Amino acid sequence: MPHIYETDGAAIYRQSFATIRAEADLAPFSADEEPVAVRMIHAAGMVELAAHIRFSSGFAQTASAALADGAPVLCDARMVSEGITRARLSANNPIICTLNAPPVPDMARAMGNTRSAAALELWRPHLAGAVVAIGNAPTALFHLLNMLEDPDCPRPAAIIGCPVGFVGAAESKAALWAAPPVPCCIVEGRLGGSAITVAAINALASRAE
Ligand SMILES: C/C1=C2N=C(/C=C3N=C(/C(C)=C4\N[C@@](C)([C@@H]5N=C1[C@](C)(CCC(=O)O)[C@H]5CC(=O)O)[C@@](C)(CC(=O)O)[C@@H]4CCC(=O)O)[C@@](C)(CC(=O)O)[C@@H]\3CCC(=O)O)C(C)(C)[C@@H]/2CCC(=O)O
């Protein structure tokens, strides 16, 4: 007997989002934040994620407006940069991931840091007004926060800080949340990851359409 399953992509999305809205506690989110949270939950397949998502005041509006204005999206990993749905970005926004740029391994050795962190040094010319999407590397988020301690470092418009894992993820996000240099979104604790981060960008980009 062949397996019977839903084959209509739009119907699958409709059913997923209806399930999330029925099962997740979305009450803490504003009207601007809710579609972003729903899409992050969708990417994680986990309605309990809702309890760990935090938006600083004005984040969703600021990030959406920056995307609508053509802000670059700066990504820590290729998994993030490749996941962004280009068609949702109405302003042909540059999507930049410097992780695999040729100088990065030498820079990392010289800095005594990871490639993920060293790659952010190449963001400097693109940082002003950008939307930052960190979905993998805790060291990238820590390094960004250190860069932004310098008042001369250009400011991004908004930061999605959702690195995942057991070493530095919770701590880097707690540091961002404790003193956000610009509006930000985090997933508290060990949870996070590239897919959740991409989902947030894709939701914010859709709002800008
Ligand atoms: C310590 C690292 C962690 N990586 C995690 C999870 C995942 N990483 C994947 C992949 C394919 C990549 N991770 C690198 C970014 C690589 N990962 C690291 C680093 C060693 C250090 C980062 C940090 O601690 O901040 C980092 C290398 C570096 O020097 O910066 C990656 C570049 C490694 C590589 O392939 O060379 C690569 C990114 C590729 C890209 O997209 O551009 C995973 C898919 C794991 C796998 O391959 O099995 C997975 C993806 C998770 C996600 O959703 O993004 C952690 C868990 C973040 C971990 C840091 C914390 C910890 O608890 O260990």
Side-chain angles (χ1 to χ4, degrees):
M1 278 287 283
H3 294 282
I4 307 296
Y5 57 95
E6 179 59 71
T7 56
D8 176 346
I12 293 168
Y13 265 69
R14 268 197 309 278
Q15 195 179 321
S16 288
F17 289 136
T19 304
I20 292 164
R21 291 203 160 86
E23 296 184 11
D25 178 8
L26 302 172
F29 303 117
S30 71
D32 287 328
E33 295 162 354
E34 196 248 27
V36 185
V38 166
R39 222 172 166 101
M40 293 168 81
I41 293 164
H42 181 243
M46 183 184 170
V47 293
E48 296 79 9
L49 191 77
H52 304 276
I53 300 172
R54 300 278 178 270
F55 296 103
S56 74
S57 175
F59 164 80
Q61 271 188 326
T62 304
S64 278
L67 292 176
D69 283 351
V73 186
L74 304 183
C75 308
D76 64 332
R78 288 293 302 276
M79 286 178 284
V80 177
S81 59
E82 291 300 317
I84 295 169
T85 308
R86 270 59 178 172
R88 287 179 183 277
L89 292 164
S90 56
N92 201 23
N93 309 56
I95 299 174
I96 297 169
C97 176
T98 51
L99 179 62
N100 294 328
V104 167
D106 284 345
M107 291 166 62
R109 271 187 289 277
M111 289 165 63
N113 209 328
T114 65
R115 285 183 293 129
S116 300
L120 268 64
E121 289 297 325
L122 302 178
W123 285 9
R124 287 182 188 272
H126 313 286
L127 253 181
V131 176
V132 168
I134 295 180
N136 179 298
T139 58
L141 181 52
F142 271 130
H143 191 64
L144 177 66
L145 294 176
N146 286 345
M147 285 165 64
L148 293 173
E149 283 189 2
D150 175 357
D152 293 333
C153 181
R155 310 270 110 182
I159 299 172
I160 301 171
C162 295
V164 61
F166 301 92
V167 179
E171 295 85 350
S172 60
K173 291 179 286 188
L176 170 61
W177 189 249
V182 297
C184 71
C185 161
I186 66 161
V187 173
E188 283 183 330
R190 293 171 172 177
L191 296 170
S194 296
I196 290 173
T197 303
V198 165
I201 290 284
N202 285 341
L204 292 160
S206 310
R207 292 180 69 253
E209 280 170 353

